[in-house]
Amino acid sequence: EAAVTQSPRSKVAVTGGKVTLSCHQTNNHDYMYWYRQDTGHGLRLIHYSYVADSTEKGDIPDGYKASRPSQENFSLILELASLSQTAVYFCASSVGTGVAETLYFGSGTRLTVL
Amino acid sequence: GDSVTQTEGQVTVSESKSLIINCTYSATSIGYPNLFWYVRYPGEGLQLLLKVITAGQKGSSRGFEATYNKEATSFHLQKASVQESDSAVYYCALSDRSAGNKLTFGIGTRVLVRP
């Protein structure tokens, strides 16, 4: 069974509304990540976390908040959703951040902001 | 910064034919980056297909191969004979010590294998 699960699978949100994307992992990994993918772009890192109750900014954090209430759970929060945040969002986990580290991904959440 | 360029769009290939997906990279690290291919099958998350951490070496998995060519800064993915089950999106990626070991991904190449 999937070790990284995301919810919801897809969501339609209105501009200016609040959106929360959830991620749960059973890998017992310390590191968790949120990426987004847009047409014409590779996956880009939004936020990551290496321990519960702590989050770090990735490469494109503007407009997003993250929350890591436990080792297993990592949420991505869009306080005021905008059209430009329409994308597919992937959560991932890893043991550490070694240079050859393997990431384990969820199946993605397709977010459409109207 | 680091970047990865791979074959864009969709590649359609008939079953039992060969496949190649091109990938070239640019890394800011003084040393050499580590290179990866991830694959996303329909309805699933990305999963690691193969990785190579030493320049000049070849990685292989599930019939796929990729050779780390530091002179050409390339890491092309090849398979001699594809199956319908190879239909997926393939992502080339690199990790670089100078970027905190974060992964930089290409845009992904969708492969459709026709029976």
Side-chain angles (χ1 to χ4, degrees):
Chain A
E1 66 257 12
V4 180
T5 55
Q6 295 182 229
S7 62
R9 294 292 297 269
S10 66
K11 183 173 180 64
V12 178
V14 295
T15 303
K18 182 177 181 178
V19 177
T20 300
L21 307 182
S22 299
C23 179
H24 178 81
Q25 57 107 353
T26 58
N27 293 324
N28 198 33
H29 287 168
D30 287 330
Y31 287 79
M32 296 187 74
Y33 310 82
W34 277 106
Y35 288 87
R36 66 176 278 177
Q37 183 169 28
D38 305 84
T39 302
H41 288 277
L43 279 72
R44 292 181 290 174
L45 182 63
I46 306 170
H47 283 288
Y48 65 99
S49 168
Y50 56 85
V51 67
D53 296 322
S54 178
T55 63
E56 306 292 331
K57 294 180 179 179
D59 298 324
I60 53 165
D62 293 346
Y64 301 93
K65 290 173 56 178
S67 173
R68 181 95 181 267
S70 64
Q71 185 193 43
E72 298 81 15
N73 295 293
F74 191 37
S75 297
L76 186 68
I77 303 152
L78 291 66
E79 294 279 4
L80 295 170
S82 66
L83 295 174
S84 63
Q85 293 176 312
T86 293
V88 179
Y89 292 83
F90 292 99
C91 176
S93 72
S94 69
V95 172
T97 58
V99 71
E101 198 72 44
T102 297
L103 268 62
Y104 298 84
F105 285 84
S107 57
T109 295
R110 182 174 296 277
L111 175 65
T112 304
V113 182
L114 302 176
Chain B
D2 299 338
S3 65
V4 175
T5 302
Q6 65 180 101
T7 302
E8 294 192 10
Q10 178 168 300
V11 174
T12 303
V13 60
S14 298
E15 201 165 28
S16 80
K17 298 299 184 183
S18 63
L19 170 71
I20 182 167
I21 304 173
N22 291 326
C23 173
T24 57
Y25 66 88
S26 174
T28 56
S29 176
I30 295 174
Y32 299 110
N34 295 283
L35 301 176
F36 305 78
W37 279 100
Y38 278 81
V39 58
R40 185 186 181 202
Y41 297 105
E44 300 182 12
L46 283 79
Q47 56 186 272
L48 180 68
L49 179 61
L50 57 86
K51 65 181 175 184
V52 179
I53 63 173
T54 303
Q57 297 298 306
K58 179 170 69 177
S60 61
S61 174
R62 307 180 206 176
F64 287 91
E65 296 181 340
T67 299
Y68 188 155
N69 186 329
K70 63 182 175 65
E71 289 80 17
T73 62
S74 68
F75 192 54
H76 306 320
L77 183 68
Q78 304 182 73
K79 189 171 186 180
S81 176
V82 297
Q83 303 172 324
E84 202 171 350
S85 58
D86 293 323
S87 295
V89 181
Y90 293 81
Y91 297 88
C92 186
L94 70 81
S95 67
D96 184 352
R97 291 188 192 279
S98 69
N101 297 336
K102 295 174 191 172
L103 279 171
T104 298
F105 286 89
I107 64 172
T109 302
R110 183 175 299 277
V111 172
L112 176 63
V113 179
R114 289 187 169 161

